[in-house]
Amino acid sequence: MKFDIRSYEGVGPIRLGMTPSEVRAALGMEFENFRRSGTETYPCDYYTGLQCFVYYDDIHGLVEAVEFAEPAQPTLNGLNLLGLPFADMITRIRELDADVAVENDGFTSLPLGIGGYAPNQDEPELPSESIIVFVRGYYD
């Protein structure tokens, strides 16, 4: 499924800051709850059919980030970020954010409100394993 990224606003039908019930109504699919570390106040929602994880903040239980893996298609300006080799994707992102931070296991673009997990950068022809869309301050 295609999910158009709107930096610091949302992705697809999910708006950053939604409640769990709003997300569940917007996606209308089965999901599972789980806690990433066991210490979160609000569990995450995992939509198996979409390969989509929705993370809620610990203060109000509102969407603070959404993460995707294939076959989901998180798109930025029409570009499927999981459909490109990592090296090509970073080249395209640098056109929008010249200061994108590329780490040994992925990237983060604070101006775009996105990041990606790519542990196999020694094979730059492979795509990222996941893409995350987040609220301002998520990595503070």
Side-chain angles (χ1 to χ4, degrees), residues 86 90 94 100-109 115-119 121:
F86 182 78
I90 290 299
R94 279 198 173 113
V100 60
V102 178
E103 299 95 14
N104 64 351
D105 63 349
F107 77 95
T108 305
S109 170
Y117 177 63
Q121 289 184 38

Side-chain angles (χ1 to χ4, degrees), residues 43-79:
C44 309
D45 288 344
Y46 171 54
Y47 293 85
T48 310
L50 299 174
Q51 288 298 301
C52 173
F53 299 84
V54 181
Y55 305 122
Y56 302 99
D57 69 43
D58 279 338
I59 298 169
H60 303 289
L62 304 177
V63 175
E64 68 177 353
V66 184
E67 187 171 13
F68 300 94
E70 286 190 311
Q73 298 175 19
T75 61
L76 183 65
N77 297 339
L79 178 68

Side-chain angles (χ1 to χ4, degrees), residues 17-29:
M18 282 180 134
T19 65
S21 60
E22 290 172 328
V23 172
R24 294 165 188 162
L27 292 178
M29 303 183 83

Side-chain angles (χ1 to χ4, degrees), residues 74-139:
T75 61
L76 183 65
N77 297 339
L79 178 68
N80 176 6
L81 299 180
L82 289 174
L84 285 176
F86 182 78
D88 294 345
M89 182 195 60
I90 290 299
T91 298
R92 299 287 295 275
I93 288 177
R94 279 198 173 113
E95 294 170 3
L96 302 170
D97 174 11
D99 296 322
V100 60
V102 178
E103 299 95 14
N104 64 351
D105 63 349
F107 77 95
T108 305
S109 170
L110 294 179
L112 297 174
I114 62 173
Y117 177 63
N120 298 315
Q121 289 184 38
D122 54 334
E123 299 178 66
E125 70 282 358
L126 295 177
S128 294
E129 289 186 14
S130 72
I131 297 294
I132 191 167
V133 177
F134 50 82
V135 297
R136 289 187 196 285
Y138 185 69
Y139 286 108

